[in-house]
Amino acid sequence: MQAQVERIRMKLRKNDTVEVLTGKDAGKRGKVLKVIPERNRVIVQGVGFVKKHTRPNPQRNIKGGIAEREAPIHASNVAILCGECGKRTRVGFKRLEDGRKVRICRKCEGVLDK
Ligand SMILES: [Zn+2]
């Protein structure tokens, strides 16, 4: 039987600035490069580097060697940083007068979506 991934509501977006909460990169901050909603994961710039060994493949012009790249980390292991108050925060939602739904900082009520 295949394990079901429980889907949580993805509150992170590309270009959010986040801080890593757990693991060897705890405390590191970076920008979200990619969001993978179906796996509840994000790729954060400079965080979770893994070494990937690649085999040379001259036909496809791929050089062999070790490439380092960011690995996806679980969304629950990062916290969004509020641009208004600068703190780690939780995301809330608010509907603006013009009908737009935006994410807000639960600490200072600042709008996270610019
Ligand atoms: Zn805030």
Side-chain angles (χ1 to χ4, degrees), residues 1 3 21 23 33 42 45 61 72 74-75 82 96 104 113:
M1 215 167 85
L21 302 175
L33 298 177
V42 292
Q45 193 167 42
N61 201 23
H74 202 269
C82 173
L96 298 178
I104 57 161
D113 296 307

Side-chain angles (χ1 to χ4, degrees), residues 82 84-85 105 108:
C82 173
E84 298 285 328
C85 66
C105 166
C108 71

Side-chain angles (χ1 to χ4, degrees), residues 17 19 23 43 85:
T17 306
E19 186 172 315
I43 292 176
C85 66

Side-chain angles (χ1 to χ4, degrees), residues 82-87 89 105-110 112:
C82 173
E84 298 285 328
C85 66
K87 290 177 188 150
T89 189
C105 166
R106 288 235 182 112
K107 285 189 175 147
C108 71
E109 307 271 295
L112 295 169

